[in-house]
Amino acid sequence: MSSTRKPAWIQLLVLALGVVVIVAGFYFFTEWQKNRPATPLRDVTVTVTNGAAEQEIHPYTICELDAECDGGEPPAMALDDSAQVTFAVPREISSSSWKLLTIYDDPAANDEQIFQSGEAAEAEFESVKDGARLLVAEVSLLAVDESDDGQETPVVATWSVSFQ
């Protein structure tokens, strides 16, 4: 019987090359993850659910920080007074700090909830709170977006819905 055994230095070289390939692959994967293009804010949607109704909401406004901008009329949704309202936000929002503002027909019932980065991907609230009926709810986020000239700029993005 003839046994052909590779010298120890060749086995060590193959093992070292395998480790280098794995480390390089991991490095390039993490660089790709960090630098891959994020979803533009104008394409991010929030899902609003109330009873059996569900609606995808696109950004109502995306304004440069400290700038005043008018978004016109927000999208409308019928309100089921007997059901909770749920805002489900995607990772692009939940991975940052965001806030939820609820406005009722009685200002005493208005509320603002602030969520820290990674804390929540959805929020539930009453459609009727202490006898006050929900009129408007909106999610806001401070983010960095590209301006028309390609420069990164801080913006406040708002997803809003009115209830009827």
Side-chain angles (χ1 to χ4, degrees), residues 65-81:
L65 190 60
D66 296 330
E68 205 173 305
C69 62
D70 181 25
E73 289 294 316
M77 185 173 182
L79 184 66
D80 178 352
D81 293 348

Side-chain angles (χ1 to χ4, degrees), residues 93-144:
I93 296 174
S94 67
S95 64
S96 298
S97 295
W98 58 283
K99 74 176 181 179
L100 172 68
L101 176 66
T102 51
I103 300 172
Y104 292 83
D105 59 7
D106 177 0
N110 294 351
D111 191 24
E112 181 178 76
Q113 298 176 52
I114 298 174
F115 300 94
Q116 299 303 317
S117 176
E119 182 181 345
E122 72 176 35
E124 280 190 348
F125 49 94
E126 301 294 326
S127 54
V128 177
K129 181 178 170 184
D130 300 326
R133 194 166 193 274
L134 183 65
L135 298 176
V136 175
E138 60 184 37
V139 166
S140 295
L141 167 74
L142 178 62
V144 175

Side-chain angles (χ1 to χ4, degrees), residues 24-34:
F26 179 75
Y27 171 78
F28 287 115
F29 177 75
T30 56
E31 285 299 307
W32 173 79
Q33 285 281 63
K34 286 193 302 187

Side-chain angles (χ1 to χ4, degrees), residues 46 57-63 137-141 156-160:
V46 170
I57 305 296
H58 290 275
Y60 172 63
T61 58
I62 300 176
C63 304
E138 60 184 37
V139 166
S140 295
L141 167 74
V156 176
T158 303
W159 292 258
S160 183

